[in-house]
Amino acid sequence: MTTPIDELSVRITADTSAFTASLEGLAKQADGFSGAISRAFRDAVVGGKEFDDILKNLALRFSTMALNAALKPIESGIGSLLSGLVGSLGGVKPFAKGGVVASPTYFPLSGGLGLMGEAGAEAIMPLSRGPDGRLGVSGGGAPVTVNIAIQTPDAQSFRKSEAHVAATLARAVGRGRRGL
């Protein structure tokens, strides 16, 4: 069991680490700044350059340093985005025959990204178009063959019962489509 003092110690350690990293970054920038000024004056004394050229070079170095510092978060964000995208493409798994996504997974969607599996396992099921044109999940069962034998004493009595036989067959096929 953690105590409030333990939690405070962890937070202070984390805050101190972040502060130390921030100070180290400032120290690097200060070293770069002082190095640029030193080089500029050395170029003036040793190289015999004009003072205007030295100030222009110094301003150019400072603006480059400022721009690099400002673009660093953007650069690291784009880098992590691209590495995540490339990493997700590296493990392409086909789901043509269906499957299960058990953890949060991003997928391309027209106009952006989709997210599946964020609330638990989700199924991917291939759709097929039925004889009536509707799109849906196929049952995957084998086709059923139905044989009908009609016995009648003569052709005339068959013609009289033809409408009744057709209606009975239509009802049976309808029940079969509904899975009853």
Side-chain angles (χ1 to χ4, degrees):
M1 182 170 154
T2 60
T3 65
I5 292 175
D6 292 336
E7 291 175 10
L8 180 62
S9 174
V10 168
R11 274 189 263 142
I12 289 173
T13 302
D15 290 344
T16 305
S17 297
F19 183 68
T20 302
S22 183
L23 284 178
E24 288 172 357
L26 284 174
K28 281 184 179 180
Q29 289 177 353
D31 287 344
F33 181 78
S34 64
I37 291 176
S38 299
R39 282 189 297 278
F41 285 117
R42 184 182 58 233
D43 289 346
V45 173
V46 175
K49 291 187 177 180
E50 290 193 26
F51 193 64
D52 285 346
D53 290 338
I54 293 171
L55 289 179
K56 286 179 189 174
N57 287 340
L58 193 57
L60 183 61
R61 285 183 187 159
F62 290 153
S63 63
T64 301
M65 288 170 56
L67 183 61
N68 287 342
L71 293 178
K72 190 73 167 172
I74 296 171
E75 179 183 321
S76 64
I78 290 174
S80 64
L81 176 68
L82 287 177
S83 68
L85 182 61
V86 169
S88 68
L89 291 177
V92 173
K93 180 179 178 188
F95 285 101
K97 294 184 179 180
V100 174
V101 175
S103 62
T105 304
Y106 292 101
F107 61 93
L109 191 62
S110 61
L113 281 177
L115 177 63
M116 68 170 56
E118 71 276 13
E122 291 188 36
I124 298 174
M125 296 181 283
L127 301 176
S128 61
R129 201 164 294 282
D132 60 353
R134 289 188 297 173
L135 190 62
V137 178
S138 64
V144 176
T145 302
V146 177
N147 294 315
I148 300 173
I150 300 174
Q151 293 182 345
T152 181
D154 57 18
Q156 184 62 28
S157 57
F158 175 73
R159 282 189 209 110
K160 288 182 182 177
S161 63
E162 186 178 359
H164 175 69
V165 171
T168 303
L169 280 172
R171 282 193 301 274
V173 168
R175 283 193 305 269
R177 282 189 181 156
R178 291 190 305 268
L180 299 176

